[in-house]
Amino acid sequence: MKAGMIGLGAMGSGMAGNLAKAGYLMAVYNRTAAKTAEFNVPAYSAPEALAAEVDIVLICVSADQDVLDIVEAIASTIKPGSIVVDTSTVSSETAKKAAARLAEKQVAFLDAPVSGGVEGAKNGALAMMIGGDADALEQVRPVLEAMAARIIHMGPTGSGQATKAVNQVMCAGIDQAVTEALAFAQAQGLAMDKVINVISGGASGNWFLQHRGLTMTQGAFAPGFKLALHHKDLKICQKMAAQTGAFIPLADMTVTDYEKLMAEGYGDEDISALYRLKKP
Ligand code: NAP
């Protein structure tokens, strides 16, 4: 199976690195061409040129319209029988539009958002939640296993993105809890490395505390996961909540907080920059 990766940002570059190690990566495309240099495979100057050369097209770009633009471009050249796997975080509605467009070309589409951060992408340890045809998933599973430690078929097209929205609501609550608790610890003058070490081993331990705890208390907020991207996800979650009557006050609060930070120019910082609003 020949795979091509479109989008070599914080997540896509880690995933492409693991595809290369496993021998599947045959082509890359990135809008900013310089990011393709580290991969020892042909780099294409347009997504449609890449799509003509591979059997599996993986996508990892920022937002809904970006995915739809890429899908529209590759639809002109992609071979029937190919499979497109979108690992970006977008709405279920976008996944359904992309799947419908590619079905016209006899191409299967899987919405396959991921969780696990840049560390998970780099280490091939992502959790991947998949919507779409189960047979198409089985065909590409060996390729996905190069990038993910946990691959779960959630149901029809859009159900992967619906599951990722659940993850993003939870992530908002964790961001609020960890930034607030660590600012509270710092205000007491505790040794932050020890606080993080001991709490990480107890019932309140979590990935975000372990990976972003110390850096946030040192005022370092390099992404990671850009807070403007999480804001984009939470706006999708708010729309879903409004449609279903669900109540997500922690996500609502996080949207408001992120908007304050984005207005101050911090949108490209990691989501741990929420600490800026909590520190004494
Ligand atoms: P990132 O570092 O900002 O990279 C974004 C990538 O998308 C870049 O390769 C960018 O190209 C490309 N791109 C954006 N708009 C495009 C367009 N219109 N046409 C072509 N390429 C376009 O973001 P990331 O952190 O890798 O996130 C990518 C996706 O994964 C997002 O949907 C995000 O929500 C999701 N995600 C992120 C994390 C995380 O921890 N970072 C975790 C799980 C899921 P350029 O290089 O030219 O800008």
Side-chain angles (χ1 to χ4, degrees), residues 66-112:
D66 306 318
V67 170
L68 292 174
D69 290 348
I70 297 286
V71 164
E72 194 50 43
I74 65 177
S76 60
T77 55
I78 196 162
K79 292 178 280 189
S82 306
I83 299 177
V84 174
V85 181
D86 178 31
T87 64
S88 322
T89 303
V90 294
S91 66
S92 301
E93 203 183 331
T94 291
K96 287 176 193 163
K97 281 186 195 161
R101 179 70 179 104
L102 291 166
E104 293 167 12
K105 302 288 170 181
Q106 290 79 51
V107 169
F109 175 88
L110 298 172
D111 49 302

Side-chain angles (χ1 to χ4, degrees), residues 185-199:
Q186 208 159 27
Q188 296 177 68
L190 290 167
M192 296 311 296
D193 54 343
K194 291 184 186 175
V195 167
I196 292 161
N197 189 6
V198 70
I199 292 180

Side-chain angles (χ1 to χ4, degrees), residues 33-210:
K35 291 186 193 168
T36 61
E38 68 179 275
F39 299 95
N40 200 17
V41 296
Y44 290 85
S45 58
E48 51 270 39
L50 174 147
E53 302 300 327
V54 296
D55 317 303
I56 302 171
V57 177
L58 291 125
I59 303 173
C60 188
V61 295
S62 304
D64 292 73
Q65 195 55 50
D66 306 318
V67 170
L68 292 174
D69 290 348
I70 297 286
V71 164
E72 194 50 43
I74 65 177
S76 60
T77 55
I78 196 162
K79 292 178 280 189
S82 306
I83 299 177
V84 174
V85 181
D86 178 31
T87 64
S88 322
T89 303
V90 294
S91 66
S92 301
E93 203 183 331
T94 291
K96 287 176 193 163
K97 281 186 195 161
R101 179 70 179 104
L102 291 166
E104 293 167 12
K105 302 288 170 181
Q106 290 79 51
V107 169
F109 175 88
L110 298 172
D111 49 302
V114 295
S115 178
V118 290
E119 292 83 352
K122 201 172 169 201
N123 300 331
L126 293 166
M128 194 174 259
M129 37 216 104
I130 314 245
D133 182 63
D135 292 338
L137 169 57
E138 289 319 308
Q139 284 180 57
V140 297
R141 189 181 281 276
V143 175
L144 303 187
E145 281 173 347
M147 306 184 294
R150 188 175 304 214
I151 300 168
I152 308 283
H153 185 234
M154 301 306 305
T157 301
S159 55
Q161 294 296 356
T163 309
K164 175 72 193 210
V166 176
N167 184 85
Q168 297 312 79
V169 168
M170 209 175 287
C171 179
I174 291 166
D175 196 359
Q176 292 289 352
V178 172
T179 53
E180 184 169 303
L182 292 187
F184 175 70
Q186 208 159 27
Q188 296 177 68
L190 290 167
M192 296 311 296
D193 54 343
K194 291 184 186 175
V195 167
I196 292 161
N197 189 6
V198 70
I199 292 180
S200 291
S204 295
N206 63 75
W207 186 98
F208 187 61
L209 175 67
Q210 278 180 287

